[in-house]
Amino acid sequence: VNKHKPWIETSYHGIITENNDTVILDPPLVALDKDAPVPFAGEICAFKIHGQEMPFEAVVLNKTSGEGRLRAKSPIDCELQKEYTFIIQAYDCGSGPGGTNWKKSHKAVVHIQVKDVNEFSPAFKESVYKATVTEGKIYDSILQVEAIDEDCSPQYSQICNYEIVTTDVPFAIDRNGNIRNTEKLSYDKQHQYEIMVTAFDCGQKHATQDALVRVNVKPVCKPGWQDWNKRIEYKPGSGSIPLFPSIHLETCDGPVSSIHTTIELQTNYIGKGCDRETYSEKSLQKLCGASSGAIDLLPSPSTTTNWTAGLLMDSNDIIFKFDGKQGAKIPDGIVPKNLTDQFTITLWMKHGPSPGLRAEKETILCNSDKTEMNRHHYALYVHNCRLVFLLRKDFDQADTFRPAEFHWKLDQICDKEWHYYVVNVEFPVVTLYMDGATYEPYLVTNDWPIHPSHIAMQLTVGACWQGGEVTKPRFAQYFHGSLASLTIRPGKIESQKVISCLQACKEGLDINSLESLGQGIKYHFNPSQSVLVMEGDDIENINQALRKVSYINSRQFPTAGVRRLKVSSKVQCFGEDVCISIPDIDAYVMVFQANEPKITISGMDHFARPAAQFESERGVILLPDIRIVSTVTKMEHPVDLRERDRANKQVIVEEMLHNLDFCDILVIGAELDPELECLELDRGELQGKHLDATNSTAGYSIYGVDSMFNYEQVLRQLRYRNWGTAATSDRKFRVKCSELNGRYTSNEFNLEVNILHSSNSNFMDHVNHMIVQPQFLQSVQHPEGSVSAVHNSVVPSVATIVIIICVSILVFVITLGVYRIRTAHQHGSADHEGSKENEMDWDDSALTITVNPMEKYEKPHQTEEESEEEDIEDEEEDTTSAESDESEEEEEEEEEEEVVVQKGVKQNAPRQEQL
């Protein structure tokens, strides 16, 4: 009889490892029945689990002992469910084999935990992390990276450690994934860092894919100008180019109320303070409309101006450097003794502080006694950084005190920079112009006039001549510094307009489109436009205004090199005691070298004219077809990239227009004899042009800044006269032109002029006709050797012919006994020999032309018709007898002569008929 129910524990706790089916229970699964050992009633037949779709089953291992096992029906995944709770009951086998009347135990609670396996690796939530830091700071945490693990247990699902994989980076990471910098970062050193980071779970399994962390370094917000280039390139002829087209001001959100900006173009090391035209002072004065008559006291050394030959000189800009040991004596006659009550002294000067506490006078210009005494009549000198002008008038009027010394105290006199000084004298008033600005003397002292004497005066530059009070006259009061363009103009003073023009810079700052500057912007240029001051309240308006500031150089051939730029700014803030400071901008403009022009002079280089034309009142025009052309050579940039490797790049020659500043027509050989010959030019040809001219026995010089066309027009009117032609057979001249005071010079164009005397003028008309036509000459030109050979072989044969003709005529005349014919024939022979000599004198041209002398046999002295007929008959007979004696070699030479002069056959036809 089945009297009792099975008995089991009231609760069980089990553990199962995932991916395994065995459950380990505590306590073990055992059912007891008090009906034992009765068969069936005391045996356990089953364990039943109550719960919805539990993945477990319980099986009986031993019915008698009641031992059972709990196992999983399918693989258990901890990640899906970590634990299970269900009810289990035990059943006995009943009262018989059929299992009838079975009894079940009470319900027991089973709690099963799933044991995790470390099957998943950590994975970062993001593949790329980004952060931005400011340079110069140490951060506790720049950013935090985070990784997760899909394992279910804390041991394997938790991230226990992070690690930076990238080496040699100034960063570290903690266990929580916080990244920090280990040192201060610099934006200038590195803008961005890229580091790789990995993670480990507590089972020490690391992430399969590392995370990328980008850290951008942001510069510390520094107030200042941004987006500007340090180097600005300028090509000649570019006009006006903006200096800072994209510039803007960063204020770091400072409370700015107004901005004051100064842009300075520093050119004090270029030429004489900036890029100016490097023409001679006389040419510049002519260009600026100054009155004529200026005398250059520091010209370039030459045969006529040799007093500057011993001075230290920078030839590019005609700058003379005085080291306190040199002076120059101006020859007598260069400057008139009487400067009158009105005159002007102009000069460029660069001068520094004088050495020593009690500095001596440093003479720029001095006119003193040459011997015996040491009186200074007028002088310009520097003393203790003061400019002093001394003017002692002669004792020709009332014996009274008169203004004699005029003192100016200016900082610029000793600042070691170039400045332009003009001393305008309207006695007793003396005015100084320095860089175009007017300065009155701060001190004027009076002195007695100088008593007249017979002592000659000596004008000097760079020192003063001490003629008396010393054992031997010598220089004294030497100048230390640099001088240029020192001129004196007696009788006239210069206007403010001319002075401003003479010292004007050709480069400077400019503003593109002033009308679009915007409201509220104030600006101011200094006179030379090297400094620009701008002021405004709105930052954006200042930015726009500064973007319009440009550099301009109006010279066609500017001085190449660097021009420094400095931009300084001051900022005012709203009610702030401490305001932001704006660092200065230091930039520079690189001016490139201009393409060098090649100046070429061409035209007719050889001609002959009858002496009568040279002796006429108008003379002969020397250069009727002169042509001045300037070309520049450029390299062509290939469009096809493949052509760039080719060595033979195509060269392009372009004609360009520019000014000239002088053309010299020099006499080659002996100088002109002023009593017999001269070069002349109508002064009216210079009117309306910036040109002037000087004449001497050495040649003619035309100077002034003007176009090549105007120079051509003037040169084509230059005439040569010679009223003593008997002593001259030819003259040679050389023409040479210059731009920028010799910086660019032309070729030397040589011209040869032959003077034809009356006996051979008719024949030379024919020769000139051939010389003027170069196209014909090219067609009949012989090689140089063959021409000289023909000439050398023809000359002796012609002399032989003349002798034979003379002998034949003499025999014929004696035979006939006609006194009248013999007398006429002697005149003809003498005339013919003189003609022959003139031909030989002329024959020094590049073209050798040989002519049969029988073709030009004439008798100019016969006047009666009957005598002319008889002479013609005699000449025909003479020709017949002469030709019979000629050899075959002479006939061949005549054939060659006919080829050379084939152009003149038609002209000589009447003479052949006469012969």
Side-chain angles (χ1 to χ4, degrees):
V1 179
N2 190 4
K3 295 181 179 180
H4 299 92
K5 298 186 292 184
W7 177 89
I8 57 175
E9 297 286 347
T10 57
S11 63
Y12 294 91
H13 182 76
I15 296 175
I16 183 172
T17 303
E18 64 176 339
N19 300 325
N20 200 344
D21 61 349
T22 302
V23 179
I24 301 173
L25 286 176
D26 181 26
L29 183 59
V30 176
L32 300 176
D33 196 321
K34 291 182 179 181
D35 293 326
V38 178
F40 301 108
E43 294 178 346
I44 303 301
C45 280
F47 292 97
K48 289 188 179 180
I49 294 173
H50 302 283
Q52 295 180 351
E53 299 180 0
M54 284 295 149
F56 298 98
E57 61 180 359
V59 295
V60 178
L61 297 178
N62 190 326
K63 292 181 179 183
T64 302
S65 62
E67 186 180 352
R69 178 189 293 175
L70 189 64
R71 64 186 182 188
K73 294 189 292 185
S74 60
I76 301 301
D77 192 348
C78 179
E79 284 72 39
L80 295 177
Q81 193 166 342
K82 294 182 180 181
E83 55 185 32
Y84 296 88
T85 301
F86 51 86
I87 303 298
I88 190 171
Q89 286 182 306
Y91 289 82
D92 60 14
C93 295
S95 56
T100 58
N101 298 323
W102 50 264
K103 290 186 183 293
K104 58 181 178 181
S105 68
H106 61 273
K107 295 179 179 179
V109 177
V110 180
H111 182 76
I112 298 176
Q113 286 185 326
V114 182
K115 185 179 180 181
D116 188 21
V117 175
N118 194 7
E119 57 183 333
F120 291 100
S121 299
F124 288 94
K125 287 186 175 181
E126 298 179 26
S127 60
V128 179
Y129 291 84
K130 296 179 180 179
T132 301
V133 297
T134 303
E135 65 174 345
K137 294 176 64 177
I138 296 291
Y139 289 81
D140 294 333
S141 176
I142 296 173
L143 80 161
Q144 184 181 26
V145 297
E146 186 177 1
I148 57 173
D149 195 315
E150 293 183 357
D151 290 315
C152 64
S153 65
Q155 180 182 4
Y156 299 131
S157 65
Q158 287 185 356
I159 306 300
C160 282
N161 196 19
Y162 291 93
E163 190 174 293
I164 294 176
V165 179
T166 308
T167 58
D168 298 328
V169 288
F171 297 96
I173 191 169
D174 63 12
R175 298 181 63 181
N176 297 321
N178 293 307
I179 297 177
R180 60 184 175 83
N181 57 319
T182 58
E183 62 184 50
K184 293 180 180 180
L185 304 179
S186 170
Y187 176 80
D188 296 332
K189 183 179 179 181
Q190 194 165 340
H191 294 357
Q192 186 186 72
Y193 292 88
E194 291 188 350
I195 56 178
M196 302 301 295
V197 177
T198 190
F200 293 88
D201 61 18
C202 295
Q204 291 304 306
K205 195 167 190 176
H206 66 81
T208 55
Q209 186 174 0
D210 299 334
L212 173 64
V213 180
R214 286 196 180 101
V215 180
N216 293 311
V217 182
K218 183 178 69 174
V220 175
C221 185
K222 298 176 182 177
W225 297 102
Q226 296 184 357
D227 296 334
W228 54 273
N229 293 322
K230 188 175 184 67
R231 174 187 171 105
I232 302 104
E233 296 181 349
Y234 186 87
K235 296 181 179 178
S238 301
S240 179
I241 62 166
L243 296 172
F244 311 110
S246 305
I247 197 169
H248 70 275
L249 180 63
E250 176 62 62
T251 60
C252 297
D253 300 325
V256 176
S257 61
S258 67
I259 306 170
H260 182 277
T261 301
T262 302
I263 305 100
E264 181 181 1
L265 181 69
Q266 299 174 343
T267 59
N268 52 350
Y269 47 89
I270 301 294
K272 294 189 283 289
C274 70
D275 207 2
R276 294 180 170 88
E277 295 293 5
T278 54
Y279 297 116
S280 67
E281 187 66 16
K282 293 179 72 174
S283 296
L284 280 176
Q285 290 180 353
K286 187 74 176 178
L287 190 64
C288 289
S291 51
S292 59
I295 302 166
D296 194 353
L297 300 181
L298 284 177
S300 297
S302 66
T303 55
T304 56
T305 58
N306 57 0
W307 63 87
T308 58
L311 301 178
L312 298 174
M313 177 183 173
D314 181 355
S315 58
N316 290 333
D317 298 310
I318 320 181
I319 294 172
F320 294 87
K321 298 179 180 179
F322 295 87
D323 57 1
K325 300 176 182 178
Q326 295 174 312
K329 292 197 288 186
I330 310 298
D332 296 339
I334 298 295
V335 178
K337 293 182 180 181
N338 183 15
L339 296 178
T340 72
D341 285 343
Q342 287 189 349
F343 61 93
T344 301
I345 299 173
T346 66
L347 72 148
W348 283 96
M349 182 175 71
K350 180 180 180 181
H351 183 265
S354 303
L357 295 175
R358 299 183 64 184
E360 290 188 357
K361 296 178 180 179
E362 297 180 53
T363 301
I364 301 169
L365 180 68
C366 180
N367 190 30
S368 59
D369 290 332
K370 186 176 288 188
T371 56
E372 299 182 29
M373 301 182 72
N374 190 30
R375 298 176 303 173
H376 295 185
H377 298 263
Y378 62 86
L380 183 66
Y381 60 90
V382 175
H383 189 210
N384 289 326
C385 292
R386 291 166 173 80
L387 186 66
V388 182
F389 177 66
L390 169 70
L391 180 61
R392 300 284 302 280
K393 301 295 287 185
D394 290 336
F395 196 92
D396 55 355
Q397 296 179 4
D399 186 8
T400 59
F401 262 1
R402 297 182 188 178
E405 283 190 0
F406 303 83
H407 299 248
W408 293 272
K409 184 178 180 181
L410 302 172
D411 294 336
Q412 291 88 340
I413 294 172
C414 288
D415 65 357
K416 296 183 180 180
E417 304 289 347
W418 281 105
H419 298 285
Y420 188 59
Y421 299 86
V422 178
V423 180
N424 263 358
V425 179
E426 280 185 292
F427 194 78
V429 178
V430 178
T431 306
L432 173 69
Y433 293 88
M434 198 271 296
D435 293 339
T438 309
Y439 296 91
E440 298 295 333
Y442 81 95
L443 175 65
V444 178
T445 60
N446 295 336
D447 203 347
W448 295 101
I450 292 180
H451 288 272
S453 69
H454 64 280
I455 301 173
M457 292 181 287
Q458 178 64 62
L459 182 61
T460 56
V461 174
C464 198
W465 186 253
Q466 189 171 358
E469 302 176 2
V470 289
T471 56
K472 184 179 179 181
R474 57 181 174 82
F475 279 119
Q477 301 175 2
Y478 289 97
F479 180 75
H480 297 78
S482 298
L483 298 174
S485 304
L486 176 60
T487 68
I488 189 166
R489 178 180 286 101
K492 293 181 181 178
I493 62 171
E494 285 301 355
S495 65
Q496 177 87 37
K497 181 179 179 181
V498 170
I499 293 171
S500 299
C501 173
L502 287 172
Q503 60 94 37
C505 288
K506 292 297 181 179
E507 64 179 341
L509 300 172
D510 192 18
I511 297 179
N512 292 332
S513 60
L514 284 171
E515 62 277 0
S516 62
L517 262 187
Q519 296 180 349
I521 300 294
K522 300 177 182 178
Y523 69 93
H524 172 70
F525 283 103
N526 69 334
S528 63
Q529 288 196 213
S530 61
V531 178
L532 169 62
V533 179
M534 306 181 79
E535 190 173 356
D537 301 333
D538 184 73
I539 294 177
E540 186 55 34
N541 283 347
I542 283 286
N543 290 340
Q544 293 290 341
L546 202 55
R547 290 170 192 161
K548 298 179 185 300
V549 177
S550 58
Y551 169 81
I552 186 170
N553 194 317
S554 59
R555 291 191 65 193
Q556 192 171 10
F557 305 105
T559 303
V562 170
R563 314 293 197 271
R564 295 192 187 95
L565 274 170
K566 184 176 182 180
V567 180
S568 55
S569 305
K570 293 181 181 179
V571 176
Q572 290 185 347
C573 297
F574 291 103
E576 294 285 338
D577 294 335
V578 179
C579 197
I580 59 174
S581 61
I582 307 297
D584 293 344
I585 288 179
D586 288 315
Y588 64 93
V589 179
M590 174 55 74
V591 179
F592 290 134
Q593 182 76 44
N595 290 319
E596 187 168 328
K598 181 182 179 183
I599 306 171
T600 305
I601 303 176
S602 59
M604 184 173 61
D605 60 356
H606 187 190
F607 69 85
R609 293 287 185 274
Q613 293 188 21
F614 291 96
E615 295 172 354
S616 65
E617 183 180 354
R618 298 292 294 174
V620 173
I621 293 179
L622 280 183
L623 306 163
D625 61 345
I626 191 170
R627 182 88 169 92
I628 306 174
V629 177
S630 181
T631 56
V632 63
T633 304
K634 297 180 180 179
M635 298 296 292
E636 185 182 31
H637 298 287
V639 179
D640 190 352
L641 295 177
R642 291 173 295 181
E643 295 181 3
R644 291 188 176 179
D645 297 333
R646 297 182 182 177
N648 52 347
K649 293 183 179 179
Q650 189 172 357
V651 177
I652 301 176
V653 178
E654 295 180 353
E655 184 174 344
M656 70 180 303
L657 297 176
H658 59 77
N659 290 328
L660 300 175
D661 59 352
F662 70 79
C663 283
D664 288 338
I665 302 92
L666 303 175
V667 179
I668 302 176
E671 293 189 357
L672 298 176
D673 185 350
E675 297 183 359
L676 298 177
E677 53 188 338
C678 69
L679 291 172
E680 290 183 343
L681 180 68
D682 292 338
R683 304 298 292 187
E685 298 294 337
L686 303 175
Q687 291 182 357
K689 303 178 178 68
H690 296 293
L691 297 178
D692 208 340
T694 57
N695 194 0
S696 69
T697 58
Y700 213 94
S701 180
I702 302 168
Y703 62 90
V705 182
D706 214 328
S707 64
M708 291 184 287
F709 175 78
N710 282 348
Y711 266 94
E712 285 180 359
Q713 298 303 310
V714 173
L715 287 171
R716 289 174 183 175
Q717 303 303 319
L718 186 66
R719 304 185 309 276
Y720 172 60
R721 288 183 58 201
N722 189 323
W723 51 94
T725 55
T728 309
S729 61
D730 63 357
R731 266 295 185 188
K732 295 181 181 179
F733 301 92
R734 177 174 296 154
V735 183
K736 189 174 183 180
C737 295
S738 153
E739 163 67 337
L740 295 175
N741 205 26
R743 178 177 173 184
Y744 305 116
T745 56
S746 70
N747 62 313
E748 293 184 349
F749 176 75
N750 294 317
L751 170 65
E752 183 176 348
V753 178
N754 293 108
I755 301 175
L756 307 180
H757 299 280
S758 59
S759 58
N760 56 2
S761 60
N762 292 335
F763 167 68
M764 288 306 172
D765 286 343
H766 162 63
V767 174
N768 281 331
H769 181 66
M770 296 178 63
I771 293 175
V772 173
Q773 301 183 41
Q775 293 180 352
F776 171 74
L777 286 179
Q778 292 172 5
S779 63
V780 301
Q781 210 167 355
H782 292 287
E784 186 175 350
S786 63
V787 172
S788 62
V790 169
H791 173 67
N792 292 334
S793 62
V794 167
V795 169
S797 63
V798 170
T800 304
I801 293 171
V802 172
I803 294 172
I804 293 173
I805 292 173
C806 293
V807 172
S808 301
I809 292 174
L810 184 60
V811 172
F812 185 72
V813 168
I814 293 174
T815 304
L816 295 178
V818 181
Y819 176 78
R820 183 176 57 83
I821 296 175
R822 181 175 59 81
T823 305
H825 186 69
Q826 286 176 349
H827 282 290
S829 300
D831 187 36
H832 181 74
E833 288 173 358
S835 174
K836 186 62 196 173
E837 290 174 0
N838 285 329
E839 284 181 33
M840 297 302 293
D841 289 341
W842 173 83
D843 191 8
D844 88 104
S845 65
L847 177 69
T848 304
I849 301 173
T850 312
V851 180
N852 190 340
M854 298 305 297
E855 290 182 1
K856 70 184 298 284
Y857 186 85
E858 299 180 37
K859 305 189 72 156
H861 300 289
Q862 290 293 336
T863 57
E864 298 177 7
E865 294 180 1
E866 182 179 356
S867 299
E868 289 175 359
E869 292 176 358
E870 292 177 358
D871 290 344
I872 291 172
E873 291 176 359
D874 294 342
E875 287 169 8
E876 289 176 351
E877 293 178 2
D878 292 344
T879 305
T880 303
S881 61
E883 288 177 350
S884 64
D885 295 333
E886 288 177 350
S887 64
E888 293 179 0
E889 180 182 353
E890 292 171 344
E891 291 176 358
E892 291 174 359
E893 289 171 352
E894 287 179 356
E895 291 176 1
E896 290 180 356
E897 294 162 7
E898 290 174 0
V899 172
V900 175
V901 297
Q902 57 182 334
K903 186 69 179 179
V905 170
K906 294 181 179 180
Q907 295 181 2
N908 292 325
R911 297 173 187 169
Q912 289 178 347
E913 291 175 0
Q914 290 178 355
L915 291 171

